[in-house]
Structure formats: structure tokens, C-alpha cells
Amino acid sequence: DGGITQSPKYLFRKEGQNVTLSCEQNLNHDAMYWYRQDPGQGLRLIYYSQIVNDFQKGDIAEGYSVSREKKESFPLTVTSAQKNPTAFYLCASTLRGADTNYGYTFGSGTRLTVV
Amino acid sequence: AQKITQTQPGMFVQEKEAVTLDCTYDTSDPSYGLFWYKQPSSGEMIFLIYQGSYDQQNATEGRYSLNFQKARKSANLVISASQLGDSAMYFCAMRLHGSSNTGKLIFGQGTTLQVKP
């Protein structure tokens, strides 16, 4: 079955470390998105990519980096410059340029904790 | 600027009763889609219902219906006959079309619903 796989489910980061969150989809979707969710809060867009080798900053890109070398993969790196990285991270995908009724597929998320 | 506002941080409802979760939106784009998602404590996002800006009728999906008032820019979710399994966080979200169609989904702050037995 098609879907999005995020790994790992739980991740612990030491101060000053970079960590990479994986997001892989087999839905042949062009567009992929990374969202951050703090406890009891909504989802905020970090980065998004509509085609391979291209990506744009979202609303809270500082301290994060991404790459899009393959259509299926959109990894997110949380760098040491991100001062408060403890949060729940969700990856999503959809068809680029689709009508507004085309839905999104979400991964199951990664919970990142700074220790 | 495009924005979604959910003004109810938390709601309680008695089992088997109906509940309305509020959502207002702001956009100048004439073509947009509105989504409601359910997020249980596990964190997964579950799609519930969709309403397009040009849809003439309110959307319905089983126990879920959407009270769409375009002039007021509101898209409230109505859950009928609440069940204990409905306890979760609910998000309203908007996707734009046309020249603004980057496919970004803009989320509200969410409403936590607790169903009492």
C-alpha cells in the first residue's frame, strides 16, 4: 500500500548535535512538506518542496535544513542552530498543482526530544 | 494574509450528544479548499471532511458535517452522536488554488475535544 514512512518514531538529541529525520513516500507525489507541532498547538510549516532539487522555506525555517534529491525522499535536518527543537514533526505529501479537493497524506510523525 | 482561526482551545461534550467546533478563515483567493483533521494522542492526522469554496452544498461524511458560511468565512465542523473515540485534537486547515497554489496547507491552532461518558 502507498503511504509515507517517517523514521525514527522517537529521537533524542544532545545539545549541539545535528539530527536528521527521514520522510519517504511511494505515492508518486510531487510536493512534500515538513510541519512542526508543539504540545497543544497547531502545525507550522518548516520547509516544502514541489519538485526534485527545489525547496522553499516555510514560516519557521531557521535552524532547519532539507534536501530533495529524489522524488520519494525529503529528509529534514535539525541543526544545532535550532534553539528549541523539542517538538513533534510531521511530514506530508500531495500532488503539485492539484485542485483544492486533492487530499494530503501524512506520516505518523517523529517526536524529537533534546536531552 | 491567509489564516485559519479556531477560537476554542478545549471543548467537552456528553457522549451521544452533538458538538460544533468553530473555524473561521481569511483569504482573498476565490478558490480554496477547507479540510478538517482529527489527531488522536498517537499523533497521526486523520482526514475527516472537505469543503470547496465553490461547493453549493455543505459537505457531509457519516457523523461529520460541515456548516459552511462563505460570506462569514466560517467552516464549522459538526459531530453528531459523539462517541468516546471522538476524544482528540481537531484541526481546521485551508489549501489555496490559483496563483497561490503552492499546495501549502495552513492550519488553525486546533481544538481539543473530550467526550464524557
Side-chain angles (χ1 to χ4, degrees):
Chain A
D1 283 342
I4 292 185
T5 302
Q6 284 189 247
S7 62
K9 191 174 178 67
Y10 298 95
L11 186 57
F12 297 91
R13 190 193 96 166
K14 293 182 180 179
E15 295 279 354
Q17 267 187 344
N18 291 356
V19 292
T20 297
L21 283 59
S22 171
C23 177
E24 304 272 336
Q25 54 98 359
N26 60 1
L27 299 161
N28 202 32
H29 283 168
D30 315 279
M32 298 185 72
Y33 306 83
W34 274 106
Y35 289 92
R36 168 179 171 145
Q37 185 180 21
D38 293 288
Q41 302 296 315
L43 280 70
R44 293 182 291 168
L45 184 64
I46 306 172
Y47 267 99
Y48 63 101
S49 168
Q50 294 185 279
I51 54 174
V52 175
N53 293 322
D54 188 44
F55 48 82
Q56 287 78 38
K57 293 181 179 180
D59 302 316
I60 55 165
E62 186 175 350
Y64 300 96
S65 66
V66 292
S67 62
R68 187 84 185 277
E69 297 177 2
K70 298 186 301 181
K71 190 175 187 177
E72 302 78 20
S73 178
F74 191 41
L76 173 74
T77 296
V78 184
T79 74
S80 57
Q82 172 48 241
K83 298 306 177 189
N84 185 21
T86 295
F88 185 59
Y89 292 85
L90 273 167
C91 180
S93 73
T94 190
L95 277 179
R96 176 189 178 208
D99 286 340
T100 56
N101 63 342
Y102 194 88
Y104 296 76
T105 301
F106 285 87
S108 55
T110 294
R111 293 191 187 275
L112 173 62
T113 304
V114 174
V115 296
Chain B
Q2 293 86 19
K3 188 178 180 182
I4 294 279
T5 302
Q6 294 179 255
T7 57
Q8 306 153 313
M11 293 274 290
F12 288 93
V13 64
Q14 206 67 36
E15 195 179 7
K16 299 180 185 177
E17 291 185 351
V19 62
T20 298
L21 306 184
D22 294 341
C23 172
T24 58
Y25 60 93
D26 188 18
T27 181
S28 55
D29 197 311
S31 180
Y32 51 88
L34 297 160
F35 297 78
W36 275 93
Y37 289 91
K38 172 184 177 181
Q39 187 183 43
S41 57
S42 59
E44 61 184 309
M45 296 291 279
I46 302 168
F47 166 74
L48 297 177
I49 196 166
Y50 166 84
Q51 181 83 44
S53 59
Y54 293 119
D55 293 345
Q56 296 295 314
Q57 293 191 325
N58 288 344
T60 60
E61 291 283 352
R63 294 188 298 113
Y64 304 107
S65 61
L66 204 151
N67 184 1
F68 182 48
Q69 299 188 45
K70 194 170 180 178
R72 288 185 163 187
K73 292 190 175 179
S74 75
N76 298 339
L77 176 71
V78 180
I79 305 174
S80 63
S82 297
Q83 302 171 357
L84 295 178
D86 292 335
S87 294
M89 197 156 187
Y90 289 80
F91 289 101
C92 181
M94 177 170 63
R95 174 178 186 164
L96 301 178
H97 196 51
S99 61
S100 304
N101 188 6
T102 60
K104 287 191 292 184
L105 201 53
I106 303 163
F107 285 88
Q109 306 92 315
T111 296
T112 300
L113 177 67
Q114 293 193 35
V115 180
K116 295 181 176 180

